Amino acid sequence: MAKITAEQVYDRLLNFDKILEQRGQIRFFLGDVSIVVRQRDVVGSIMQEWLEGWLRKNNYDYSPNPNTQMPPDIYLDTDNREENLLEVKAFNYLASPGFDIADFRAFQEEIIEKPYMLHVKYLIFGYSMTEDGIVTICGIWLKNVWEICRAMSNYPLNLQVKDNVIHKIRPAKWYGSSSNYPPFECLEDFVSAIDETVFRNPKTRDISGTWCSRFVDAYRQQYGRTLQIPRWNEIKDRYVRQ
Amino acid sequence: MAKITAEQVYDRLLNFDKILEQRGQIRFFLGDVSIVVRQRDVVGSIMQEWLEGWLRKNNYDYSPNPNTQMPPDIYLDTDNREENLLEVKAFNYLASPGFDIADFRAFQEEIIEKPYMLHVKYLIFGYSMTEDGIVTICGIWLKNVWEICRAMSNYPLNLQVKDNVIHKIRPAKWYGSSSNYPPFECLEDFVSAIDETVFRNPKTRDISGTWCSRFVDAYRQQYGRTLQIPRWNEIKDRYVRQ
């Protein structure tokens, strides 16, 4: 079994397998009759399994995360579960990215406990399905989490908010024409947005006084590097354009 | 192209194709990798298309209903759209039948306008899917609509009620051990339950005074037969057991 990095997965799919030129379909077989399944939303939930099939077929070593609720989907290095972590996402390219990044409250805790979760690579498939059920991959990206996150008008992150309670972190549209809410340019700016959201969210405000210093300490322990996290007000104008 | 009746479809699937002994699966193909799709709910929504594939494969004439929102799914006699009407339903056999029969308000109107809609045959597949994605048909039935409908504790039909407004007619569990709410024994009893529901439903009460006589007239015009519809109170005890 060979080893492969997230970057090599992306490169091989794009340039060797020429994934953007392939056509796919979903078929249902029963008895001696088979039909094409024309349900777009199914594709979004099976690309992770497809990628695992691809890794097996190409004899690459990997391990799926037994906890399917939390990133990463896949450990590419089975000997080191803090590097080469891969999360697989898929969305209907004719709509906007519709997947969730994470539950906000769990995420802010998670990156203090496991700072390497900030370096999970997101392998993202933008697919389309014709009326006839032909599936095409229209775009493929390998991204850091901050490169697919953005602010929104009244929060430093794009959040799903219900009855004033913050739930999921939702993605940016990181490709195509620029919007008033561009993706974050670096890890530090993304952490600044999380820090500000910890403060603004009533459910996490009581831990906001020390959240940023706890995160910086944890990250230094993991990587030996002291991050300089800007205040949200200093960088806000770059991410919330009028 | 040959003609086939609903009864012959059922008989051929059961006895010639031995559908209960077949194993199926859903597969996703992309590039040179294919995987098994293990999403149970997909099966429920593709059995109709599978049946259409089966009719084509066996060279039977049929026509799908262009209005996918209303029964029937399939006209088996393309020259006569008032007979040999087929509705295809599928449900997870390890749960209970979960499909909708019809929107109540639309249904009580529909059967006066088109009494033959009461004689649509329901071809019902009870499927299961293993953890590995192997699909098995555990049961197949051909039923009249009244044979898969029942009363509930506070209404003469099993209804989905939201904020006191009646929405969908929901099915009975017509197989296996008997419950306190058995399916209707005949068309007339089912119509009695509809008539009583027209009266009890605030949104249809103003038409309830003449609903039953209008229905009986329409049915006689279609079939030359005058139905004797019992009052709900006369038959209630057979359908709502204590």
Side-chain angles (χ1 to χ4, degrees), chain B:
Chain B
M1 301 289 263
K3 293 212 178 196
I4 192 168
T5 65
E7 287 75 11
Q8 288 165 341
V9 168
Y10 170 78
D11 183 63
R12 183 170 173 142
L13 283 171
L14 186 64
N15 297 313
F16 183 80
D17 288 356
K18 305 212 181 297
I19 190 79
L20 300 183
E21 296 167 25
Q22 305 297 323
R23 274 141 192 277
Q25 60 178 1
I26 306 168
R27 291 194 78 88
F28 174 51
F29 300 84
L30 180 65
D32 56 357
V33 174
S34 84
I35 57 157
V36 177
V37 178
R38 295 172 293 182
Q39 297 190 6
R40 259 178 212 100
D41 53 338
V42 175
V43 182
S45 52
I46 58 184
M47 285 307 299
Q48 180 196 336
E49 283 200 63
W50 180 85
L51 189 75
E52 291 185 32
W54 182 89
L55 289 165
R56 281 193 301 273
K57 175 134 193 161
N58 291 294
N59 281 312
Y60 291 118
D61 199 20
Y62 78 96
S63 172
N65 188 346
N67 180 352
T68 57
Q69 299 301 305
M70 290 293 278
D73 291 320
I74 293 171
Y75 298 99
L76 286 173
D77 186 340
T78 51
D79 301 324
N80 178 352
R81 299 196 171 217
E82 301 187 2
E83 285 179 27
N84 248 317
L85 311 183
L86 194 64
E87 180 78 1
V88 182
K89 299 287 187 189
F91 68 98
N92 178 358
Y93 189 73
L94 299 179
S96 284
F99 51 82
D100 292 327
I101 301 285
D103 175 77
F104 173 74
R105 227 173 137 185
F107 189 75
Q108 56 82 19
E109 267 178 29
E110 179 93 342
I111 61 175
I112 290 183
E113 203 187 322
K114 304 173 181 171
Y116 55 84
M117 294 301 283
L118 276 170
H119 294 287
V120 170
K121 296 291 179 185
Y122 284 70
L123 182 67
I124 309 168
F125 297 90
Y127 64 85
S128 73
M129 182 188 274
T130 64
E131 289 296 310
D132 297 336
I134 302 297
V135 176
T136 314
I137 305 299
C138 308
I140 182 171
W141 299 267
L142 188 72
K143 292 283 185 183
N144 291 301
V145 63
W146 61 87
E147 296 173 307
I148 56 171
C149 285
R150 64 165 172 92
M152 62 193 252
S153 60
N154 48 350
Y155 278 104
L157 290 172
N158 186 20
L159 297 163
Q160 176 199 49
V161 181
K162 289 183 200 165
D163 298 330
N164 284 308
V165 176
I166 291 175
H167 291 271
K168 303 285 186 188
I169 305 175
R170 306 275 296 157
K173 183 167 170 287
W174 59 87
Y175 53 91
S177 56
S178 65
S179 85
N180 285 339
Y181 305 103
F184 295 105
E185 290 162 16
C186 60
L187 171 61
E188 288 87 343
D189 289 358
F190 179 56
V191 173
S192 170
I194 297 171
D195 181 46
E196 178 75 7
T197 307
V198 167
F199 174 72
R200 292 219 207 146
N201 180 17
K203 299 239 174 195
T204 48
R205 178 164 288 197
D206 58 344
I207 59 160
S208 65
T210 57
W211 187 89
C212 196
S213 61
R214 285 169 61 224
F215 169 76
V216 170
D217 285 351
Y219 193 91
R220 186 176 49 232
Q221 287 223 331
Q222 179 92 33
Y223 293 110
R225 188 176 140 219
T226 304
L227 293 176
Q228 303 296 328
I229 308 299
R231 298 282 301 272
W232 178 246
N233 280 337
E234 298 165 12
I235 58 172
K236 180 183 171 189
D237 289 350
R238 297 215 310 277
Y239 298 114
V240 183
R241 295 180 191 151
Q242 300 307 329

